[in-house]
Structures are given as C-alpha cells and as structure tokens.
Amino acid sequence: MTIEKEFAKDLIRFIDNSKSSFHAVVETKKYLTENGFNEVKLEEKWKLEKGGKYFTTKNNSALVAFVVGEKNLTETGFRLVGAHTDSPGFRIKPNPEITADNRYLKLNTEVYGGAILNTWFDRPLSIAGRVSVKGENPLEPKEMLVDLEKPMLIIPNLAIHMNREVNEGFKFNPQLHTLPILSMINDEFEKENYLVKLIAKDLGIDEKDILDFELYLYATEKGSLVGLNEEFISIGKLDDLAMVHAEMNALANAKNKNATNVAIAFDNEEVGSKTKQGAGSPFVKDILKRIALCEGLDEEEFLIALEKSFLISADLAHAKHPNFQEKSDPTNIPVINEGPAIKIAANQAYTTDSTSAAIYEGICAAANVPVQKFVNRSDLKGGSTIGPISSSQLPIRSVDIGGPILGMHSVRELGGVLDHHYVYKSFLEFYNL
Ligand code: ZN
C-alpha cells in the first residue's frame, strides 16, 4: 500500500473513533501521549522545558498541542496551525422522548451547524457525547463520555408516493421531519426518561446521578476508500477532523526544534466559534502567553513574538463538483487530489492576503506539494472559518487553506487520498522551517 493510502486509512480510523468533539479530543490525546507529549492543565501552574512536548484541553472538546522551541520566541515567533473538532449534525434536546400514536418512540433533536439534512435519512445512527454526573461538590460534576455504538436510531424517509416533490427540492422542517426513531413501544415500555436510563445502563451508573448531557447523533457506517483506484476518502466529519489529523501528525513528526510549533483544535466552529473553547475566545492567546511567560518573556516581548508568528488556518475547501460545474468560480477551479487550496475572499471571510498566500505557496513549493486557489463565484456567498475569527483575538499573519472536498457538511463527505497527505506534508514543512 502507498504511504498516502496508509495515511488516509489512519485518518479513517481516527474519524471513526471520533464520534463527537469530546471523543476527537480523547483520540488526539491518545495519539499525542503515545508520541511523547505530556498533558499540562489550564488550572495548574506550568513549568515548561525547551524542546518539551505538551498539550492542554479546554472544555474537553478543544485541544492545543505544542513543542517548545530551542530558540527564543522573540526571534522565531509561534508557528501555528488551527483546525476544529466539531461537525454539523443533530444534538439531542433535554427530555427528548416523544411518542407517535403510542407506538413509536422518537427523540427530540435540534440541528447543530449547517448540516445537509437529507443526507441523514435512512442511515443507521447511534449516540455519542458527554454526560455530566453528580460529583462530591456541585461546582465539580464528574464528566463521562458515552458512545452507545449500536445502530439503534434511524430517520426514515417519506415514500415518494406521499411526497412527489421530494426530488424537486423539498423543504424539511427540523422539528417535524428529522426526528430519529428509537424504538417501538409495547405495553411494558417505560418511556419516561428512556434515554437517561439507556445511558445509565451503558455507563454502569445510577440514572439519578446523571445531571445533564450533551449528546449527538452519528452515522454508524464506517468510512472507506472509494474509487476504482481507491483515490477518494468517503467518510463524515472530514470537515474538519482531516485537518486535525494532519496537523497533529505533522506536529509530532517535525524534526526541527528551533521554533515553538503549535497545533490547535478549536471547538464550535460550525456554530460561529463564540464559545470559551471556540476561535472567538482568547483561550489560545492565553495559552501562547503562558508559554511566553514560562520562557521569561515580558509583555512587550510577547507582543513581539506574536508579530513574528504565522497561522495556517486549516479548514476544508470546495473542489469543483463534476455535476454542478456552474457553481464554481470560472478561473479558480480546485480539483480533488491536486493539492491543498488557498482560500481567498475580498470580503475577508478568509484571512488570506497576498503576503500570507505567498508564504504558504513557498512552503508548498519547498515540500514538493502542488497548491490550488479557491475563490467563491461572485454571485455566491461562501462560508467562513476559524481564520478571521481567531484574527480578532490573535492579530497575526494568517492564511486560510484546506484540502478540496465534495459534499461539505453531508453526513458523508468525499475527499482525496493524495490531498490529505499533501496537506500533512505542507504542515510538516512549515513546522520544520
Ligand atoms: Zn470546517
């Protein structure tokens, strides 16, 4: 097997295990620990060593890993890559049990982020996330992760005979049409608190100890390589776990120890980033400041280090769709497996400017990685990403890039095997500069 396919298979394994942003953080911690990184906690005093490898988490759904450089920060600045752990989907509401005709038990959900709703129909689904359990002190509930694993839910489609316009563009109502069915109800069925009971049983705890939860649906079908030559990666959450996987691998494998290298996995990008663990919060700036303070920098020297820093904001890009050719820009046409795309927007929805694009192009050239450009059609409004939001907290030079994919925000997206490795190689080169 080629190294690119092996790397893509490792990405599939990583995403299959990352069933919620909490699980993605656990997987990342496991990988980093196996590669010699030590955890430092935000609520404790730090003592960092030159050349030391560390990571810390925020809300257990965001993570920052870093390797302290041998050279002074005022000389090198920070080398940062940023990505995000969350993906669009459905979150389960409190008191979720709803019955239909006293025969079906459904769960009440709300949409998280910009999911393509129709991709969630007719797929075996399960539940994963975080459960908050009674602790010794009300201020410190215990946290447990849950993954029910079993394909136990489904959102069935309506037959075309009852919905003739479905192929002409049907507007789904997320309060009515996308609620997953969990079970049939029989006479002995206790539907009160059914979900909490199920989770308590899975975790082996008393249901009365479950105080609250943040649970999400996920599709249980595993990811796979597809295409005649296995050139594509078909899996959910490529946006943005592919970039988390690439940055963490690059950070762990970088050999040059001069600069302080940082890999960031924010949470909540898909809902606007304005949370304590999102790119709209100062938590990363605070972490960089603590690294600087541990190195003995003063306030001004920290600001100098920031001026010398560079951020690659890594989220995915849109490849030109072979069946929707008219949706892409006429002259900037990213194609799958032809390299990462630099994302550019006049309205600054991406942070890229000509200087930062030139820097990333130089990095790709040095790494022997082809590079493409993505710009929205002038009559289409594109998405945004972590770059511009983190710029409001961290005013440093930054470029927005991503591997080009199809079907962004579908429950199953399509990326390129070569692209994933190209992106990794570009990050490795950046960290090794
Ligand atoms: Zn994204």
Side-chain angles (χ1 to χ4, degrees):
M1 199 187 308
T2 61
I3 48 165
E4 289 85 0
K5 274 188 196 172
E6 251 170 66
F7 194 57
K9 289 211 156 170
D10 191 64
L11 168 66
I12 291 172
R13 180 200 54 75
F14 172 71
I15 296 181
D16 280 338
N17 290 338
S18 299
K19 289 159 179 170
S20 70
S21 48
F22 305 107
H23 290 82
V25 164
V26 168
E27 274 301 297
T28 306
K29 280 167 83 164
K30 207 192 297 171
Y31 172 77
L32 292 169
T33 308
E34 282 165 10
N35 283 278
F37 285 72
N38 292 307
E39 182 163 12
V40 285
K41 299 208 179 246
L42 290 176
E43 65 272 24
E44 289 169 6
K45 237 175 146 35
W46 290 3
K47 239 186 121 193
L48 307 176
E49 280 166 24
K50 291 230 177 246
K53 300 172 171 186
Y54 305 94
F55 66 86
T56 190
T57 62
K58 181 87 174 167
N59 188 47
N60 289 328
S61 63
L63 182 148
V64 178
F66 55 94
V67 180
V68 182
E70 305 281 355
K71 286 199 175 162
N72 200 304
L73 273 172
T74 50
E75 222 178 298
T76 61
F78 297 95
R79 302 258 163 83
L80 305 130
V81 181
H84 64 89
T85 58
D86 62 321
S87 312
F90 291 94
R91 176 167 151 164
I92 298 169
K93 289 183 178 176
N95 306 308
E97 291 83 5
I98 297 182
T99 55
D101 295 329
N102 241 347
R103 281 289 174 271
Y104 297 99
L105 180 69
K106 302 190 289 184
L107 293 184
N108 192 5
T109 58
E110 57 184 318
V111 178
Y112 178 89
I116 305 180
L117 298 181
N118 66 15
T119 63
W120 283 78
F121 283 83
D122 306 326
R123 285 179 191 269
L125 305 171
S126 193
I127 293 173
R130 167 166 77 177
V131 178
S132 295
V133 180
K134 201 185 281 173
E136 312 268 284
N137 171 343
L139 283 174
E140 284 165 26
K142 280 190 261 173
E143 208 168 284
M144 295 176 91
L145 292 197
V146 65
D147 173 8
L148 296 182
E149 287 181 32
K150 213 165 105 179
M152 53 172 70
L153 298 119
I154 196 148
I155 307 169
N157 241 308
L158 182 62
I160 195 159
H161 316 82
M162 296 170 180
N163 185 14
R164 291 283 180 194
E165 71 270 38
V166 67
N167 292 331
E168 272 87 65
F170 179 78
K171 192 165 191 277
F172 294 105
N173 178 325
Q175 188 58 68
L176 298 175
H177 303 141
T178 57
L179 301 186
I181 297 175
L182 177 58
S183 180
M184 296 294 292
I185 299 173
N186 56 33
D187 292 342
E188 305 91 80
F189 202 92
E190 286 178 61
K191 55 185 187 289
E192 286 297 298
N193 267 337
Y194 188 80
L195 183 66
V196 167
K197 286 191 186 109
L198 204 64
I199 289 161
K201 200 171 151 212
D202 187 79
L203 293 175
I205 58 175
D206 190 333
E207 64 170 284
K208 288 191 206 71
D209 288 339
I210 295 183
L211 302 175
D212 217 321
F213 55 74
E214 282 169 70
L215 298 173
Y216 297 85
L217 302 183
Y218 71 88
T220 55
E221 191 189 348
K222 304 272 187 224
S224 58
L225 298 183
V226 302
L228 186 59
N229 301 303
E230 298 190 318
E231 56 268 66
F232 303 114
I233 305 168
S234 167
I235 195 167
K237 301 174 192 278
L238 279 175
D239 176 8
D240 192 27
L241 291 180
M243 298 296 113
V244 174
H245 178 258
E247 63 172 348
M248 296 300 164
N249 274 271
L251 183 75
N253 292 330
K255 295 273 178 285
N256 190 330
K257 302 286 182 233
N258 287 336
T260 294
N261 290 333
V262 185
I264 308 159
F266 293 105
D267 190 12
N268 300 128
E269 190 277 336
E270 301 295 354
V271 290
S273 295
K274 291 196 180 79
T275 60
K276 64 190 180 305
Q277 60 277 1
S281 113
F283 91 94
V284 169
K285 188 176 188 174
D286 291 347
I287 288 169
L288 300 183
K289 191 161 191 180
R290 288 175 74 161
I291 298 172
L293 291 172
C294 281
E295 259 192 39
L297 268 61
D298 65 23
E299 189 83 21
E300 187 180 25
E301 287 167 333
F302 173 58
L303 295 174
I304 292 169
L306 286 188
E307 272 320 301
K308 295 206 169 168
S309 299
F310 190 79
L311 166 69
I312 300 177
S313 159
D315 209 343
L316 293 161
H318 303 297
K320 185 173 182 176
H321 197 300
N323 294 344
F324 295 87
Q325 307 229 8
E326 70 286 2
K327 294 290 183 187
S328 289
D329 183 69
T331 63
N332 295 285
I333 306 164
V335 176
I336 286 183
N337 284 331
E338 293 190 11
I342 298 174
K343 304 193 284 186
I344 300 158
N347 67 4
Q348 302 297 302
Y350 304 124
T351 53
T352 311
D353 54 35
S354 63
T355 308
S356 64
I359 291 172
Y360 187 69
E361 284 177 53
I363 291 166
C364 287
N368 232 338
V369 164
V371 67
Q372 315 186 68
K373 283 192 174 146
F374 172 83
V375 191
N376 282 301
R377 267 185 75 92
S378 306
D379 50 5
L380 281 184
K381 192 181 175 291
S384 187
T385 180
I386 49 177
I389 293 162
S390 78
S391 282
S392 65
Q393 297 293 332
L394 268 177
I396 62 178
R397 294 174 300 164
S398 170
V399 64
D400 271 287
I401 68 108
I405 63 164
L406 296 174
M408 189 181 286
H409 291 190
S410 165
V411 74
R412 225 174 149 96
E413 299 166 325
L414 192 72
V417 168
L418 296 183
D419 286 333
H420 187 53
H421 200 254
Y422 285 143
V423 167
Y424 160 75
K425 274 172 62 182
S426 75
F427 296 166
L428 189 63
E429 185 69 33
F430 172 56
Y431 285 142
N432 272 333
L433 282 177

